Amino acid sequence: MQGSSVQIALKDIFSAIGRYPLVGMLGWQDVKQRYRRSALGPFWLTISMGVMIGTIGIVFGSIFKTPLEEFLPFLACGMILWSYFTSIINEGGVGFISAERIIKQLPIPLFVHIMRVVWRNMIILCHNIVILPLVFLAVGKPLTLDIFLVIPGFLLATLNLTWIALLLGVLCARYRDLPQIITSLLNVVFYFTPIMWMPHLVPQRAGQFILGLNPVYHLMEIVRAPIIGQMPSLTSWLVCLCIAFCGWVLTVVTYGRYKRRIAYWL
């Protein structure tokens, strides 16, 4: 039974990957639809993000007495990545619910709708990334060769976000209270994750507990550290790899077992 569930899940996932042109079209359509008749489109998000980063950077930089050239790039990377992470998680949770009409009318792989969520948030991330060069120029911080580690770090982080979105998509389709609970939990995780505060400001013992047991910190660190000229720790890489492996195993089994029921839950 378990082997059959895994086969069902893998068949759907690989079939969806083969439909990448459809995923690309749906993702672009979502972005265009969301910002239809808007002069700046998704760049409104970029502007609001830039204003928020500048404001928080000046205020919290003064409170924490941290040099702006050190704190502002750290904050900018953290805020942009946090927006990317939370958007995929929140939208992934309602991914199947939002696509109810398509699921009930068209026989396409269900994983297409999760890939659609990830893709459209990648598009929005590309708009927000414009902020980083401006921040680096403003504070005079140069890029280092560590920047190339962003590529594997980003791919690994997105791989983890994808299984989280898929698993939550299944659970939220069954339990409709979960999206609100997830949003509330993410608000709590935000304050436990070094985004508006830097890791060295936390006492060593508390830091080992807060950071070491926080998977979001490790996911963010393998992407953010190379951008700001630091080398991600081996611990963060290992934690993210272990989360990816265990998470995908759990998700594939769960998805394969309940995939046929999703349409009836919607």
Side-chain angles (χ1 to χ4, degrees), residues 5-260:
S5 298
V6 171
Q7 289 176 359
I8 292 172
L10 292 178
K11 181 180 179 180
D12 184 85
I13 290 172
F14 285 115
S15 296
I17 294 173
R19 300 282 188 94
Y20 67 90
L22 175 62
V23 174
M25 182 193 69
L26 291 173
W28 277 109
Q29 183 181 2
D30 288 341
V31 175
K32 290 179 180 178
Q33 185 70 21
R34 185 181 299 182
Y35 301 101
R36 187 176 59 176
R37 297 182 182 177
S38 172
L40 295 178
F43 280 107
W44 278 116
L45 287 176
T46 305
I47 294 172
S48 69
M49 178 73 72
V51 171
M52 183 168 58
I53 289 171
T55 305
I56 294 176
I58 294 172
V59 174
F60 279 79
S62 302
I63 293 175
F64 295 138
K65 297 180 180 180
T66 304
L68 206 59
E69 60 271 15
E70 180 182 352
F71 181 63
L72 201 57
F74 178 89
L75 174 68
C77 293
M79 293 296 293
I80 291 171
L81 288 173
W82 177 256
S83 176
Y84 176 67
F85 287 7
T86 53
S87 295
I88 290 180
I89 293 173
N90 283 323
E91 293 177 18
V94 295
F96 294 136
I97 298 172
S98 302
E100 177 181 356
R101 292 183 180 179
I102 299 177
I103 291 174
K104 290 182 176 180
Q105 293 177 7
L106 299 176
I108 62 175
L110 296 185
F111 188 61
V112 162
H113 305 294
I114 301 301
M115 293 176 63
R116 174 184 182 180
V117 169
V118 175
W119 172 238
R120 73 168 172 252
N121 281 288
M122 279 187 181
I123 296 172
I124 295 173
L125 174 66
C126 290
H127 287 86
N128 290 336
I129 284 293
V130 175
I131 298 172
L132 290 181
L134 299 178
V135 169
F136 276 65
L137 285 173
V139 301
K141 187 177 181 63
L143 295 175
T144 65
L145 292 177
D146 293 333
I147 191 70
F148 292 105
L149 289 175
V150 168
I151 298 173
F154 176 76
L155 292 176
L156 180 56
T158 301
L159 188 67
N160 276 290
L161 291 170
T162 304
W163 74 256
I164 293 172
L166 177 57
L167 181 62
L168 291 180
V170 175
L171 296 177
C172 291
R174 177 63 180 87
Y175 304 102
R176 296 302 177 91
D177 292 329
L178 273 180
Q180 289 76 22
I181 296 174
I182 292 167
T183 301
S184 300
L185 287 176
L186 287 174
N187 291 332
V188 175
V189 173
F190 175 79
Y191 294 104
F192 278 94
T193 305
I195 298 172
M196 294 194 302
W197 50 273
M198 302 187 74
H200 69 265
L201 297 175
V202 182
Q204 186 174 3
R205 290 186 178 179
Q208 290 177 352
F209 176 77
I210 294 174
L211 301 180
L213 298 180
N214 186 349
V216 178
Y217 163 71
H218 296 291
L219 289 173
M220 186 167 292
E221 192 65 10
I222 61 174
V223 184
R224 178 175 56 189
I227 298 177
I228 60 177
Q230 299 175 4
M231 183 70 71
S233 67
L234 180 61
T235 300
S236 292
W237 279 105
L238 291 176
V239 168
C240 293
L241 287 170
C242 289
I243 293 174
F245 176 78
C246 297
W248 271 107
V249 170
L250 172 63
T251 302
V252 166
V253 172
T254 304
Y255 181 52
R257 183 173 182 180
Y258 296 107
K259 174 183 173 294
R260 294 174 179 172

